[in-house]
């Protein structure tokens, strides 16, 4: 007889177990236990973030979360994610988590929800009323192998580690570069204090390995490196519009990967929306190879 899983609110001390479940379900998404704790415990009240876990015989076997996207000017936009350990699927856990999260989002005023699913989760999501065709490609790179030759640094550009960059300068570049990032809702309402707490001060971000291209006092391009043991994740790579087409994204990523390899990082992972052709081309040049494609879906509440 199978004992029914118990769904409850996630707390910071669940971080290690949640990170383990996430790593089993999606090994190409790099998130340490420290970063997971940060995700669970550090959220703006406006996000109305709800983190849940499901326990079976005292062991966490699923993780799910949902909240309001407060970084867009479009009201009522929300996000939802569910990770159920493969050994505990087809037992109603995902359905119960989805029901709890959808109820919560309805109560806090969400009108549209975005989720990403692996191909084998598409039928489950469709049955919940999700639809859409957006694709997010995930790719990995072996940093113990040779990287392509590093591009030349253009005149007037200085390469620096992000730990030497003023956070206000980094925030300005990040928010400008993100404005035309492929998405269903524009990232056009990013609060500085929230960005500072959730992004800049995240324990996953290694600013000494993250690289910026400075043009005088302006951060023209950057790549953020997030680490977990000997693995890294490209948190965000961006170039402000005035400097696009000059190869700076390729340059900062190339430098960051070399620095990460020298620091003992053995594998790197990244993701790109299917519509982001320029960054897909950069990652292909660097040697990234696709390991998974997730489907981006929407549901109207």
């Amino acid at each position: 007889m199978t004992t029914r899983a118990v769904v409850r609110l996630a707390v910071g001390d669940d971080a290690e177990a949640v990170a383990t479940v996430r790593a089993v379900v999606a090994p190409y998404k790099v998130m340490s236990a420290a970063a997971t704790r940060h995700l669970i415990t550090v959220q703006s009240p406006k996000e109305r973030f709800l983190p849940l876990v499901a326990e079976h015989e005292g062991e966490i076997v699923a993780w799910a979360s949902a909240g309001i996207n407060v970084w867009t000017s479009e009201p009522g936009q929300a996000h939802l994610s569910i990770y159920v350990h493969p050994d505990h699927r087809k037992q109603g856990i995902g359905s119960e988590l989805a029901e709890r999260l959808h109820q919560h989002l309805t109560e806090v005023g969400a009108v549209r929800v975005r989720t990403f699913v692996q191909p084998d989760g598409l039928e489950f999501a469709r049955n919940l009323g999700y639809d859409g065709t957006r694709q997010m490609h995930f790719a990995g790179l072996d940093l113990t192998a040779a990287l392509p030759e590093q591009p030349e640094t253009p005149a007037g550009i200085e390469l620096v580690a992000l730990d030497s960059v003023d956070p206000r300068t980094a925030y300005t570049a990040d928010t400008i570069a993100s404005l035309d990032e492929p998405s269903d809702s524009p990232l056009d309402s990013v609060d500085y204090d929230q960005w500072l707490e959730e992004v800049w001060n995240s324990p996953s971000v290694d600013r000494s390995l993250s690289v910026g291209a400075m043009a005088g006092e302006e951060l023209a391009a950057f790549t953020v490196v997030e680490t977990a043991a000997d693995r890294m994740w490209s948190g965000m790579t961006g170039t402000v519009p005035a400097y696009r087409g000059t190869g700076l994204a390729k340059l900062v990523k190339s430098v960051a990967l070399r620095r990460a390899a020298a620091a003992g990082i053995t594998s790197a992972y990244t993701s790109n929306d299917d519509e982001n052709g320029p960054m897909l081309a950069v990652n292909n040049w660097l040697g990234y190879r696709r390991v998974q494609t997730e489907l981006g879906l929407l549901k109207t509440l």
Side-chain angles (χ1 to χ4, degrees), residues 44-73:
S44 164
K46 294 181 181 179
E47 293 179 77
R48 306 303 297 271
F49 185 69
L50 179 63
L52 300 174
V53 293
E55 288 183 321
H56 178 259
E57 297 181 349
E59 177 186 2
I60 290 178
V61 298
W63 150 261
S65 65
I68 300 294
N69 179 2
V70 297
W71 286 6
T72 181
S73 60

Side-chain angles (χ1 to χ4, degrees), residues 76-204:
Q77 305 305 303
H79 55 85
L80 177 149
S81 63
I82 297 175
Y83 296 76
V84 180
H85 192 287
D87 294 343
H88 295 270
R89 293 175 182 171
K90 306 295 184 181
Q91 299 176 24
I93 296 173
S95 297
E96 182 173 354
L97 290 167
E99 182 179 358
R100 291 274 294 270
L101 293 175
H102 287 142
Q103 179 181 351
H104 168 73
L105 290 176
T106 299
E107 291 172 352
V108 301
V111 297
R112 190 172 71 160
V113 191
R114 153 69 68 196
T115 194
F116 284 91
V117 300
Q118 296 170 340
D120 61 3
L122 180 59
E123 182 180 0
F124 172 76
R126 297 279 196 219
N127 290 337
L128 291 173
Y130 283 88
D131 197 9
T133 58
R134 184 177 293 281
Q135 294 186 344
M136 184 68 73
H137 303 301
F138 294 82
L141 175 63
D142 179 5
L143 290 183
T144 65
L147 291 166
E149 184 176 353
Q150 183 174 310
E152 294 289 334
T153 302
I157 294 295
E158 179 187 5
L159 297 177
V160 300
L162 285 190
D163 58 6
S164 68
V165 177
D166 181 82
R168 273 283 182 185
T169 300
Y171 164 79
T172 299
D174 190 9
T175 52
I176 291 174
S178 298
L179 284 173
D180 56 0
E181 185 176 353
S183 177
D184 296 294
S185 299
L187 295 174
D188 58 356
S189 185
V190 182
D191 176 77
Y192 173 72
D193 289 334
Q194 185 183 358
W195 174 91
L196 188 70
E197 187 69 18
E198 294 186 16
V199 177
W200 190 254
N201 291 331
S202 170
S204 66

